[in-house]
Amino acid sequence: MPTTLRLSQRETTFNQEVVTRFELYNSLFQTLPFYQVKDTGILLPFFSSHCEKGAAGESSPTEIIESFFKNYVPGIDHREQINRMFRFIQYIERQVVLFDAIEDSSFGTLGRTDDTGPLQSMVQQATSNEDARKQISKQLKDFSLRLVLTAHPTQFYPGTVLGIMTDLIGALKENDIPEINTLLQQLGKTPFFNKTSPTPVDEAVSLVWFLENVFYHALSGIQSKLEQEFDMEGNDPVLELGFWPGGDRDGNPNVTTQSTREVAVLLRKHIFRCYYRDFRVLKRRITFRGFADNIAKLEKLLYDNAFNQQENPKDLQPEMLDILRSMRETLVTSHDSLFVDIVGDMIQKVQLFGSYFATLDIRQDSRVLRSVFDYGTKKIYTGVPKGYAEMDEAAKLKTLPFTEADFVCPADADDMTRDTLDTIRLMRQIQESNGVKGCQRFIISNCQQASDILQLIDLFLWSGWKKDKLTVDFMPLFETVNDLIHAGDVMETLYTHPFYKKHLKSRGNRQTIMLGFSDSTKDGGYLMANWSIYKAKVELTAIARKHGIDLAFFDGRGGPPARGGGKTHRFYASMGKEIANDHIELTIQGQTVSSQYGSVETARFNTEQLINAGIISALHPNHKDLLDDKHKALIAEMAEASHGLFLALREHPLFVEYLEKFSPLKLLSHINISSRPTKRNASAKLKLEDLRAISFVTSWSQLKQSIPGFYGVGTALKKMKDGGSWEEVKELYQDSGFFKTMLDNCMMSMSKSDFRVTAYLEKDKKFGKFWISLKDEFELTKSLLLELTGMAVLMEESPVERRSIAIREKIVLPLVIVQHYALQCLNNTKDEELIGIYNKLVIRTVYGIVNAGRNLA
């Protein structure tokens, strides 16, 4: 079928399945008399239409809001106007949920025609070609996929709302109107936000909902399918889960040793609850003689660990597998294999999730770890010579003694030191209770030198760990452009260091390196961040192969393209042979969790896409994706041009002030969705380097100016065009999956921009020229991208996604207008009471805007 016809059919289906149904159920929704203001639902369409006309006419938010109330609700005072705006927000928040649910309920019809097919395409290849089956089986032996859930503050739906969404999706699939009506009423009466900020353990509880209700079923289903179709006997499971809430303490003082302990207990308890639910099915079926003892033993083991606090819990995976395998063998030998599939399914789940459910990663900043190491050298006899701190890097590496000790951190140590040392000891306890995989990874963020890793190893050895039983993987995180440049030297030093080389051998010669997109983009801009990471991956792969290291890249991706999101499977599918791609690891966070992994169906599809991308790119590499020197030089030149413009923007004297004044940046810390501060050094004056990438990107998305996702791209393309390289860039876009995906994701970011909202700033005496410079780069980028790709509109090749974005943007445009109105009011009042009200108005709009964007933050 021709591509254009296929795309047209998808768009028609989307209009029928999603748009028409949303209009139908939205009309039902707007008649529900919530919040004691009966005309809110009736007024909202007029308000939305008025906002759209006002934005099209480039009126200021203040003009739009004031003219609406003058025309439609005359005679009410300012405070009642604000009250009406809060009511509008409550409706729009729920409209977003309704649209999400309708789109997700239509996934089976819409979601299976992407360009990178899921698992079924691999199965079809294997069915038609035995050689293909053997090749895929061989590749699966060395392949793994790890999805890591993080606690980053972009998951705005509380668990109660997620439960309603799940039920609503089910009702929508059946078009059960009475049930849909009831659920919409429940949705209308259910709070959407927390009154207080969640603790790290609260965040863990929220994400465990997805582990229990989605990933437990989706991942076991995929693993089962792989085992049925391919020869995987003796293989480790292909799929792995990681977990950051309660373990990621980088810049989050609220994560403590106690919260890490509580989350480890939580994960263990909930996996046993999942097993117990499955066991009840097994018990109803395995009613034959010869099973009573094993059934009773398994029931007690599962029940006690699921519902009763265990005093000294142990890893029970081996015991559970022994019992289940014995039962399976008896079924095969004595009962004609009746119900053997039920037991086999449980065996497979226990192999996948053990006693830990998901590996709890620990992360801390290198600067903190250096400080703790310095503390240790003063408090413990470690053999570290005096004057060590003043030595250069080479001398430090020669003198590190790797002495074993059993130092217990005293109570009078500072909080950060005590947390670090106590957590290192706790990791061993978690391994004993949950299994080695329960907590075996320590990530060093802001890693700048080999000693950052080796000194951390010393901290472990001083805390009771033994050299020959150091069951921990030490993972550097390289994020800034400068750190990415030096990453190769750091890893070369580690691979040749005698102690680290021996440790790595004990860990199967597997090294994981984390690369962070978020801070790379904030540091160097969109093009330079992507290119720096690509170059670093090529160099790090070459070094690892030289030393015989099995390398895994762990990609720290956020939701939006500006933080490494977008069509991630296309990135993995486009990796050439220069980049290690046997192991795919990536963070999933915020709205990406609920939008791509919110149901078993969507989670299976998106997980299968990643597996397919990794396997197919290895078996059938597109040799055009192996960038030659000419194309590398071309991208490098564009990245440098983009980088220069982005740095000039960052250094502009109005840059931070513009964000603080016209976006909700200063108020993000008041949004009760995260235990993590919006910036490091929370008490200090705001500096760009202290600002978290997530806050940086979220602020621009609220402004409807997706600067981190496109700024500098137009200037880079113009340089190529003016320099006579335009045809080469066109060829690069057509042939390179890496370059095409990068620009396609850039267009996705731009599709969520709307400079009409802030057009009133063009005439601002102070910020007018600054705003114009942002708008000009947007228009330049848009025009050159359309010319380069031959498209008439942005995202022309993805009409369904484009239409979905357009509808979502239309739904939340009133929220954007209200937010900017409130910000304008804040800039023009000194009334303390009104300031508090306007702040709340701004904060409430943030939720809906991010939720609607699905990958805005």
Side-chain angles (χ1 to χ4, degrees), residues 223-479:
Q223 183 71 30
S224 178
K225 183 74 172 175
L226 289 169
E227 290 177 6
Q228 286 172 20
E229 299 294 341
F230 304 104
D231 178 18
M232 297 184 66
E233 190 173 347
N235 287 17
D236 290 330
V238 167
L239 299 158
E240 300 168 327
L241 284 172
F243 203 74
W244 275 21
D248 177 16
R249 58 243 306 129
D250 176 18
N252 189 351
N254 298 310
V255 177
T256 63
T257 306
Q258 180 57 26
S259 55
T260 303
R261 180 182 289 108
E262 288 180 34
V263 171
V265 170
L266 179 78
L267 288 167
R268 189 179 191 278
K269 178 174 69 178
H270 278 271
I271 189 56
F272 277 98
R273 287 184 179 177
C274 289
Y275 293 154
Y276 185 72
R277 280 196 292 269
D278 283 353
F279 167 79
R280 291 171 68 183
V281 175
L282 181 150
K283 184 181 178 182
R284 283 201 300 272
R285 294 292 170 265
I286 312 298
T287 52
F288 319 136
R289 284 181 180 164
F291 287 92
D293 288 347
N294 273 335
I295 291 284
K297 192 188 301 182
L298 191 58
E299 182 167 29
K300 181 171 178 15
L301 180 153
L302 295 176
Y303 187 87
D304 285 349
N305 286 274
F307 301 105
N308 298 327
Q309 186 69 37
Q310 300 300 296
E311 198 166 317
N312 294 301
K314 298 293 179 188
D315 174 23
L316 297 173
Q317 184 186 41
E319 186 176 350
M320 288 188 287
L321 288 175
D322 284 348
I323 295 170
L324 289 164
R325 284 167 178 160
S326 170
M327 292 172 67
R328 181 174 62 184
E329 186 178 348
T330 304
L331 286 173
V332 171
T333 57
S334 305
H335 298 282
D336 303 317
S337 296
L338 191 59
F339 302 130
V340 75
D341 55 328
I342 296 176
V343 178
D345 175 66
M346 199 159 178
I347 288 172
Q348 184 230 64
K349 285 172 177 169
V350 173
Q351 288 174 325
L352 261 181
F353 305 113
S355 299
Y356 60 94
F357 215 152
T359 299
L360 182 57
D361 288 349
I362 308 297
R363 182 172 76 134
Q364 185 55 283
D365 189 280
S366 64
R367 289 163 289 194
V368 172
L369 298 175
R370 287 174 209 152
S371 172
V372 178
F373 179 83
D374 185 55
Y375 174 89
T377 60
K378 294 179 175 66
K379 293 288 183 179
I380 319 164
Y381 175 72
T382 60
V384 175
K386 288 184 178 179
Y388 172 87
E390 287 72 44
M391 293 179 183
D392 63 21
E393 177 73 356
K396 285 180 177 179
L397 299 185
K398 285 181 181 176
T399 56
L400 278 170
F402 303 104
T403 311
E404 292 179 355
D406 194 13
F407 176 70
V408 177
C409 188
D412 62 357
D414 67 86
D415 291 346
M416 205 69 80
T417 298
R418 197 165 64 251
D419 173 72
T420 302
L421 294 174
D422 288 352
T423 300
I424 286 172
R425 296 183 77 88
L426 175 64
M427 286 178 71
R428 195 167 53 161
Q429 295 172 25
I430 295 173
Q431 288 194 3
E432 289 173 1
S433 62
N434 294 15
V436 171
K437 287 186 176 181
C439 191
Q440 64 173 3
R441 292 154 45 110
F442 201 117
I443 301 158
I444 303 95
S445 52
N446 191 43
C447 187
Q448 297 178 333
Q449 48 206 17
S451 58
D452 286 335
I453 297 232
L454 297 175
Q455 287 173 179
L456 176 59
I457 291 177
D458 256 333
L459 291 179
F460 272 76
L461 297 179
W462 300 346
S463 301
W465 288 78
K466 301 297 181 184
K467 296 176 189 176
D468 59 346
K469 294 181 180 177
L470 191 55
T471 48
V472 178
D473 297 317
F474 298 96
M475 297 164 42
L477 166 54
F478 303 111
E479 284 192 278

Side-chain angles (χ1 to χ4, degrees), residues 587-607:
T587 53
I588 53 174
Q589 57 188 260
Q591 277 301 96
T592 309
V593 181
S594 56
S595 64
Q596 295 186 19
Y597 301 89
S599 68
V600 174
E601 186 177 26
T602 57
R604 277 199 67 154
F605 179 77
N606 286 297
T607 304

